[in-house]
Amino acid sequence: MKILILHGPNLNLLGTREPEVYGSLTLDEINNKLIELGKELGAEVKCLQSNHEGALIDALHDARTWASGVVFNPGGYTHTSVALRDAVSAIQIPVIEVHLSNVYAREEFRHTSLISAVCKGKITGLGWKSYALALRALMEE
Ligand code: DQA
């Protein structure tokens, strides 16, 4: 089984970006944990991050050809991007939306997600474990 872990804008700055909100792990540290968990569960995990909406759309389209599922943190695009929602909706593989922070405990504009309704499910607020739980769920698909 192959799973794509897809990170959206600003997540490349994890570790130094508002650590009180997003934790102190860097993106590489999170990715390594997920690759290790994947090995334990028998999944090949590929991790990708982009700050660009179009590149995230391309990655979702491409995942259709090789992945059995996607764990997706769309970052700030969660709250604004019709194009990313359409991309998730267009591919036939399950996508789970994840967030490190609890978006519902934060500013009101973060309470709206254009992505959630087209995802298999959503996990928010558990730090890097949001990704880990989503990965486990996809493995049980
Ligand atoms: C985030 C939450 C978003 O509101 C924010 O714009 C991010 C990160 C999270 O993982 O908690 O960039 O997706």
Short mmCIF file of all heavy atoms in Angstrom, two decimals, residues 9 11 17 22 73 75-76 79 99-101 103 106 110, ligand 1:
data_model
loop_
_atom_site.label_atom_id
_atom_site.label_comp_id
_atom_site.label_asym_id
_atom_site.label_seq_id
_atom_site.Cartn_x
_atom_site.Cartn_y
_atom_site.Cartn_z
N PRO A 9 0.81 25.12 2.50
CA PRO A 9 1.67 26.29 2.70
C PRO A 9 2.08 26.53 4.15
O PRO A 9 1.31 26.28 5.07
CB PRO A 9 0.80 27.46 2.20
CG PRO A 9 -0.59 26.95 2.22
CD PRO A 9 -0.50 25.48 1.94
N LEU A 11 3.94 25.04 6.09
CA LEU A 11 4.26 23.90 6.96
C LEU A 11 5.74 23.52 6.87
O LEU A 11 6.25 22.81 7.72
CB LEU A 11 3.32 22.72 6.66
CG LEU A 11 1.86 23.06 7.02
CD1 LEU A 11 0.89 22.05 6.45
CD2 LEU A 11 1.67 23.18 8.53
N ARG A 17 7.81 27.93 13.46
CA ARG A 17 6.58 28.69 13.25
C ARG A 17 5.63 28.50 14.43
O ARG A 17 5.13 27.39 14.66
CB ARG A 17 5.90 28.17 11.98
CG ARG A 17 4.56 28.80 11.68
CD ARG A 17 3.81 28.04 10.60
NE ARG A 17 2.55 28.69 10.31
CZ ARG A 17 1.55 28.10 9.70
NH1 ARG A 17 1.64 26.85 9.31
NH2 ARG A 17 0.42 28.76 9.49
N TYR A 22 1.73 25.03 16.91
CA TYR A 22 1.97 23.90 16.00
C TYR A 22 2.97 22.87 16.53
O TYR A 22 3.23 21.87 15.87
CB TYR A 22 2.45 24.43 14.64
CG TYR A 22 1.41 25.30 13.96
CD1 TYR A 22 1.64 26.65 13.72
CD2 TYR A 22 0.18 24.75 13.58
CE1 TYR A 22 0.67 27.45 13.11
CE2 TYR A 22 -0.79 25.55 12.97
CZ TYR A 22 -0.53 26.88 12.74
OH TYR A 22 -1.49 27.66 12.14
N ASN A 73 -2.86 17.99 4.78
CA ASN A 73 -3.00 19.20 5.57
C ASN A 73 -2.92 20.38 4.61
O ASN A 73 -1.82 20.79 4.21
CB ASN A 73 -1.90 19.30 6.63
CG ASN A 73 -2.09 20.51 7.53
OD1 ASN A 73 -2.89 21.40 7.22
ND2 ASN A 73 -1.37 20.56 8.63
N GLY A 75 -3.27 23.46 5.11
CA GLY A 75 -2.85 24.72 5.72
C GLY A 75 -3.92 25.79 5.51
O GLY A 75 -5.12 25.51 5.55
N GLY A 76 -3.49 27.01 5.25
CA GLY A 76 -4.41 28.13 5.08
C GLY A 76 -5.37 27.96 3.91
O GLY A 76 -6.46 28.55 3.90
N HIS A 79 -9.27 27.01 4.13
CA HIS A 79 -10.37 27.95 4.39
C HIS A 79 -10.74 28.77 3.16
O HIS A 79 -11.68 29.55 3.21
CB HIS A 79 -9.97 28.87 5.55
CG HIS A 79 -9.25 28.15 6.65
ND1 HIS A 79 -9.85 27.17 7.40
CD2 HIS A 79 -7.96 28.23 7.10
CE1 HIS A 79 -8.96 26.68 8.27
NE2 HIS A 79 -7.82 27.31 8.11
N HIS A 99 -5.18 18.53 10.59
CA HIS A 99 -4.59 19.78 11.09
C HIS A 99 -3.86 19.49 12.38
O HIS A 99 -4.33 18.70 13.20
CB HIS A 99 -5.68 20.83 11.33
CG HIS A 99 -6.45 21.14 10.09
ND1 HIS A 99 -5.95 21.97 9.10
CD2 HIS A 99 -7.64 20.71 9.65
CE1 HIS A 99 -6.83 22.03 8.11
NE2 HIS A 99 -7.86 21.26 8.41
N LEU A 100 -2.73 20.17 12.55
CA LEU A 100 -1.97 20.03 13.79
C LEU A 100 -2.72 20.68 14.94
O LEU A 100 -2.85 20.11 16.03
CB LEU A 100 -0.60 20.71 13.63
CG LEU A 100 0.35 20.05 12.61
CD1 LEU A 100 1.26 21.09 12.00
CD2 LEU A 100 1.14 18.94 13.27
N SER A 101 -3.20 21.90 14.70
CA SER A 101 -3.91 22.65 15.75
C SER A 101 -5.40 22.31 15.70
O SER A 101 -5.89 21.78 14.70
CB SER A 101 -3.70 24.15 15.53
OG SER A 101 -4.29 24.55 14.30
N VAL A 103 -8.49 23.63 14.93
CA VAL A 103 -8.96 24.81 14.19
C VAL A 103 -10.23 25.41 14.82
O VAL A 103 -10.46 26.61 14.71
CB VAL A 103 -9.19 24.51 12.69
CG1 VAL A 103 -7.87 24.37 11.95
CG2 VAL A 103 -10.04 23.28 12.47
N ARG A 106 -9.72 28.14 17.52
CA ARG A 106 -8.97 29.30 17.05
C ARG A 106 -9.90 30.32 16.38
O ARG A 106 -11.11 30.29 16.61
CB ARG A 106 -7.85 28.83 16.11
CG ARG A 106 -6.92 27.81 16.79
CD ARG A 106 -5.80 27.37 15.90
NE ARG A 106 -4.94 28.51 15.52
CZ ARG A 106 -4.08 28.49 14.49
NH1 ARG A 106 -3.99 27.40 13.75
NH2 ARG A 106 -3.35 29.54 14.22
N ARG A 110 -11.08 30.08 10.70
CA ARG A 110 -10.52 28.72 10.59
C ARG A 110 -11.58 27.65 10.83
O ARG A 110 -11.32 26.46 10.70
CB ARG A 110 -9.36 28.53 11.58
CG ARG A 110 -8.17 29.40 11.29
CD ARG A 110 -7.00 29.07 12.21
NE ARG A 110 -6.13 30.22 12.35
CZ ARG A 110 -5.14 30.52 11.49
NH1 ARG A 110 -4.90 29.76 10.46
NH2 ARG A 110 -4.40 31.59 11.68
C1 DQA B 1 -3.28 24.25 9.99
C2 DQA B 1 -4.44 25.17 10.43
C3 DQA B 1 -4.67 26.27 9.39
O1 DQA B 1 -5.72 27.12 9.83
C4 DQA B 1 -3.42 27.11 9.22
O2 DQA B 1 -3.62 28.08 8.23
C5 DQA B 1 -2.21 26.29 8.94
C6 DQA B 1 -2.01 25.05 9.68
C7 DQA B 1 -2.94 23.22 11.07
O3 DQA B 1 -2.27 22.24 10.74
O4 DQA B 1 -3.27 23.40 12.24
O5 DQA B 1 -1.36 26.66 8.15
O6 DQA B 1 -3.69 23.55 8.82
#
